[in-house]
Structure formats: structure tokens, C-alpha cells
Amino acid sequence: MAARSTLAGWRRRSWGANLSQRAPPGSACRRWMGSMGRLPSESPWRRAEPAASLRHHTRVDFPILDQEFDGAKLVYFDNAATSQKPSSVMKILDEYYRSYNSNVHRGIHTLSAKATDAYEGARRKAANFVNAADRREIVFIHNATAAINLVARSWGESNIKQGDEIVLTVADHHSVITPWQSVSQKTGATLKYVGLTKEEVPDIEQLKGLLSNKTKMVVVHHVSNVLGSMLPIEEIVTWSKRVGAKVLVDACQSVPHMPVDVQKLGADFLVASSHKMCGPTGVGFMHGTFKMLSSMEPLLVGGGMIVDVFNEKSTYAEPPSRFEAGTPAIGEAIGLGAAIDYLSCIGMDQIHEYEKELATYIYESLLSVPNVRIYGPAPSQTDHRAPLCSFSVENVHPSDIAQIINSQHSVAIRAGHHCAQILHRTLGIDRNGSARASLHFYNTKEEVDVFIHALKDTIGFLTSRHSHS
């Protein structure tokens, strides 16, 4: 019998055990806050204070927001596209590349062991953050788009056939829709789209009516990146399970802004992007139930995801390694773990409460702007609206608004279709798209006031220019 390395065996057993264990609640937060020189009990944002005070305790952590351009202070309202990163995340990234940069899982030297522990520690943090039942249910992947493609290719193309149906909504992001269009083209399955109600939210009753024993997959967003509306995922999952359908949830606009519990939601798959939750770009995560992940073939094959390689065939590792071929985004995943620590130490409940205030404030403030149409539902006591507003101004192109409000007032907003052309076509504004202001917890009502003043000034400038042309 060939000799086996005791140390290497110990490392494999250690990493394998760590994958299935859960840390005591709050322990990561306590270690991280301790490294920053304060513990949660000493942290100002952990006291019983109004949600509005949140901005004062987090603003200092985002030095990028202190910039000025031509004498005007930056107002960053493009958070639905990407969020800013706190100093603690940048510090962790710098520490990784300066102190223990190494590949993970394969080496037994000190740097590799430290990198592996930090990388798998980030997986534990992500699992705890969304309350996964097992850390092996968290797959690190390039971004949410790649995660949806993984499900579509690995599960969809193997389990969906001609005559089956896939249900989506007209409000979904292109990255949600296009992978399933590909599955439909390859398998002969039919795509069914849920339309909008008069309140401009996806029609849940219509979705319920579309479900049948032909439905194999229901793909929905949790929060719309254009309408700001939130879907009742638990109900959708319940209805879908009754007909034997699987459910994939795009949670890119919910995970960074509110508590998300994957066990409570009950979906088969849920995807999120690091860069929208104060973490680095180039990494995201997918939650899949271990039963579902274990039933799927890998999309990419290569190093790091195999058990044995023979001349004619190979055997694959268990999830999540099965879906993480090659060298992963190690530093980025560790940075995502630091971002999760940061969000957790603030508290997602507190972030959510404050952002509800911001959502109502920006919506009501926009109503004071003449000739503005806001898309999506109005805020209410019962229906949550995300802190973003997509809007158009009569006879003014949204790209002109975004360009002038940036150059003249240093206000950063988005203009275009926001990767939702089907939705804009449904709303009757396909040609020009819309403008969008999207906020995060480090934004303030004072910034909303600056934005509204700048928007009125910009509209006045553009309309007067058009009237004289």
C-alpha cells in the first residue's frame, strides 16, 4: 500500500469538517469588530437609536463618497448597478495580497493553509448571512449571471424537455431571461411570461394561473431593479412546489438591503452578487439545496473539482467544489466575507428599516418635480418598495438628464434600459429607456434634496434649450 501523508490527510479532513459546521451566531462579527478596535457592544450603530442615525455611523467608512468634482460634492445614486466598498473590505483585500496570497485547497504550506481557511471562512459567512442549512450549499462563482447560467446549463438542459414550460416575468433582468431562452431553444420548452398589474408590479395571480404540471422551472426576481417592487417568494415557492416545479430567485437587489433567509423562502436556487453588497467585483454566490446540487453535473471541469482522473474518465467532487473548477476568485471571496461581516455588524434589519425611510422620501420628493413619471408601485405600509426610482420626464431624454446632472451637479444616476428591455417595452418606453436613482444605507435624505434640486435645474436647462432650438 502506498504511503499517505498524515498532514495532507489532516488538512483535507479539517477543510471537509469546516464545510458542514456553522459558527456561533455573531462570532465573525465579534472578531471583525475587534480587529477594527471595537466590539459590537461598543459600536455606535448597535445602540438602540433611530434608523435614520445609521448614515452618520457608516458614512466615514466610505471615503470615495467624500469626493468633489468642480466644487460639487459627489452624490452617488447608482447603487443598483454597483455599491461602494467600506475601508474594512479594502483593508482585507490588501492584507490577503500582501500577507498570505496563495492558492487554496491544494497546498499544505502556511500561506496556502491560511488562504484556504479565509476562503472557506467566507463561505461560512455567506451561509450564515442567508441562513443556509449547510455551508456546502454555497457555491462561489464569478457573478450572479454565471450562477444563473450554471443552473440553466447544468440542471435545465438535463431536466427540461420539449413540451415543458419555464415561467418568468416581464420585469426580470436580461441575465435572468437570456439563459432560459437558450434552454428553450435547445430543448423545445416554452417560455411563459407574467405581465404587470395596473400598479406596475408583476401579476402574481397571473403567475399562479400559469403554473401547471408542464411547469418545470419558475425564475423570478426578489426585488425589481427598475420597479423597486418586491415579490412574495414564499408564496410563489409554495404554488410552484404543488405542481412539481423548481424555483430560482434572483436576489441581487434584496440580499444587500434586507434580511434574506433561504430556508424560509424555500427556493431551490438563489443567486447574489458581491459587488452589490459592498464587496469586490468578480465574485458572487449561489445557494442551492444540497440535494439539488448533488444531482447536477458540473458546468466547467478541470482542476480543483475532481476526485480521480483516469485516461478515459474522471470522477467529480461533492458540492460545492464540483462547481468551482480552477483557481477561484480567492481574494474577492475573502473580500466578500469582509463585506458580509460589515453588513452583519450593522444589522440587516436596521439597514432595511432605514432604507424604507429613504425609499419613501425619494419617491415623495420626486413627485414634486413637474412632468415626472415614476415607474413601479407607490410606497405603502404593507408593500415594501426598494430605495430606487426609475422615472422619465416628458419630452426630455433620460440620457441627457443623467449626463447634465452629473457634469453640472456631480450627481451620479443611471440612464437606459437597466438590462430590462422587455420591461421597458411593456411600459411603453422602449425607445429611450428611463433614468434611475438608486440608494444604499450610506446615502442620506440630504443627498436626496440635492438630487431633487439638481434634477429640477437640469430639466429647466434642457427644456429651455429645446424651446429655443
Side-chain angles (χ1 to χ4, degrees):
M1 177 180 285
R4 300 184 64 181
S5 166
T6 302
L7 179 58
W10 175 83
R11 291 303 308 177
R12 284 194 295 270
R13 288 193 298 273
S14 175
W15 297 331
N18 287 342
L19 279 171
S20 58
Q21 294 170 0
R22 297 177 59 85
S27 63
C29 178
R30 178 166 291 273
R31 288 196 303 274
W32 177 76
M33 292 298 288
S35 71
M36 298 297 288
R38 59 191 181 198
L39 294 174
S41 60
E42 301 163 341
S43 172
W45 58 59
R46 301 298 285 184
R47 298 176 191 150
E49 297 181 357
S53 68
L54 181 63
R55 65 188 185 273
H56 300 302
H57 301 313
T58 60
R59 190 77 177 189
V60 67
D61 298 327
F62 297 86
I64 193 173
L65 300 177
D66 289 333
Q67 294 183 86
E68 291 188 3
F69 301 97
D70 296 326
K73 191 169 184 179
L74 170 66
V75 173
Y76 183 78
F77 278 7
D78 194 22
N79 292 283
T82 198
S83 62
Q84 298 303 336
K85 324 304 176 194
S87 298
S88 57
V89 170
M90 292 182 276
K91 177 183 176 182
I92 290 295
L93 283 169
D94 183 71
E95 179 182 330
Y96 165 71
Y97 285 111
R98 286 180 182 274
S99 302
Y100 58 101
N101 173 46
S102 184
N103 216 325
V104 294
H105 298 142
R106 301 162 194 150
I108 60 174
H109 56 79
T110 301
L111 295 186
S112 180
K114 188 171 182 179
T116 298
D117 287 343
Y119 180 78
E120 292 301 336
R123 194 189 310 277
R124 169 183 52 76
K125 293 172 186 178
N128 290 344
F129 193 63
V130 297
N131 194 33
D134 191 316
R135 279 192 292 170
R136 293 174 297 176
E137 296 182 335
I138 299 295
V139 176
F140 285 134
I141 198 161
H142 181 58
N143 49 37
T145 300
I148 296 168
N149 275 273
L150 167 61
V151 178
R153 295 281 302 278
S154 183
W155 187 88
E157 292 182 12
S158 298
N159 292 276
I160 295 175
K161 62 184 184 302
Q162 187 171 3
D164 290 340
E165 295 177 352
I166 302 165
V167 174
L168 308 101
T169 83
V170 297
D172 284 317
H173 193 281
H174 293 163
S175 294
V176 174
I177 294 171
T178 53
W180 298 100
Q181 288 177 335
S182 178
V183 171
S184 172
Q185 292 162 4
K186 291 179 179 179
T187 64
T190 301
L191 300 178
K192 298 277 189 175
Y193 285 92
V194 176
L196 302 180
T197 66
K198 63 180 181 179
E199 291 81 18
E200 295 180 341
V201 299
D203 191 333
I204 301 306
E205 288 303 313
Q206 183 189 8
L207 186 155
K208 187 177 181 180
L210 288 177
L211 298 175
S212 71
N213 58 8
K214 293 183 179 180
T215 310
K216 298 306 177 195
M217 174 62 77
V218 177
V219 189
V220 289
H221 58 272
H222 197 180
V223 172
S224 169
N225 72 315
V226 177
L227 303 172
S229 54
M230 180 176 175
L231 294 181
I233 299 300
E234 290 179 63
E235 292 180 42
I236 293 171
V237 169
T238 298
W239 300 334
S240 301
K241 296 301 182 186
R242 287 174 184 167
V243 299
K246 307 302 181 185
V247 180
L248 184 153
V249 176
D250 168 16
C252 290
Q253 300 295 340
S254 61
V255 166
H257 300 280
M258 66 184 72
V260 172
D261 185 330
V262 294
Q263 294 191 66
K264 185 177 180 182
L265 294 180
D268 300 280
F269 303 100
L270 179 142
V271 301
S273 280
S274 165
H275 73 97
K276 287 183 170 66
M277 49 192 296
C278 300
T281 58
V283 70
F285 69 86
M286 177 181 77
H287 172 265
T289 63
F290 193 72
K291 179 179 179 181
M292 287 295 296
L293 294 178
S294 298
S295 71
M296 293 162 53
E297 292 295 309
L299 176 60
L300 301 177
V301 294
M305 50 74 65
I306 47 86
V307 175
D308 290 302
V309 177
F310 304 97
N311 287 27
E312 303 298 332
K313 67 176 183 178
S314 298
T315 56
Y316 304 131
E318 290 292 304
S321 298
R322 178 181 300 183
F323 304 105
E324 296 179 5
T327 297
I330 303 167
E332 289 78 3
I334 294 170
L336 168 59
I340 290 172
D341 284 342
Y342 183 85
L343 295 173
S344 299
C345 285
I346 298 170
M348 293 310 297
D349 285 317
Q350 188 165 354
I351 287 174
H352 184 46
E353 288 304 311
Y354 175 58
E355 288 190 357
K356 285 197 291 186
E357 293 181 20
L358 285 180
T360 300
Y361 192 73
I362 190 171
Y363 186 93
E364 294 179 348
S365 297
L366 264 176
L367 293 177
S368 70
V369 181
N371 302 318
V372 164
R373 179 187 171 189
I374 308 171
Y375 300 101
S380 71
Q381 294 297 319
T382 55
D383 295 323
H384 166 65
R385 182 186 170 96
L388 67 85
C389 285
S390 298
F391 62 95
S392 60
V393 180
E394 187 178 353
N395 297 323
V396 180
H397 199 289
S399 293
D400 291 341
I401 293 174
Q403 182 177 1
I404 300 300
I405 203 173
N406 175 71
S407 62
Q408 298 299 315
H409 301 277
S410 296
V411 176
I413 65 171
R414 182 59 58 108
H417 295 104
H418 320 305
C419 294
Q421 288 185 3
I422 294 176
L423 174 58
H424 280 79
R425 197 172 296 121
T426 303
L427 294 169
I429 52 171
D430 176 55
R431 182 177 179 182
N432 295 331
S434 62
R436 183 184 69 191
S438 53
L439 287 63
H440 216 327
F441 61 87
Y442 42 68
N443 291 125
T444 68
K445 291 180 180 179
E446 290 80 8
E447 287 182 311
V448 173
D449 294 339
V450 171
F451 161 65
I452 296 298
H453 173 78
L455 179 61
K456 290 178 178 178
D457 185 76
T458 298
I459 293 171
F461 169 77
L462 291 170
T463 53
S464 64
R465 189 182 65 172
H466 292 321
S467 64
H468 290 91
S469 61

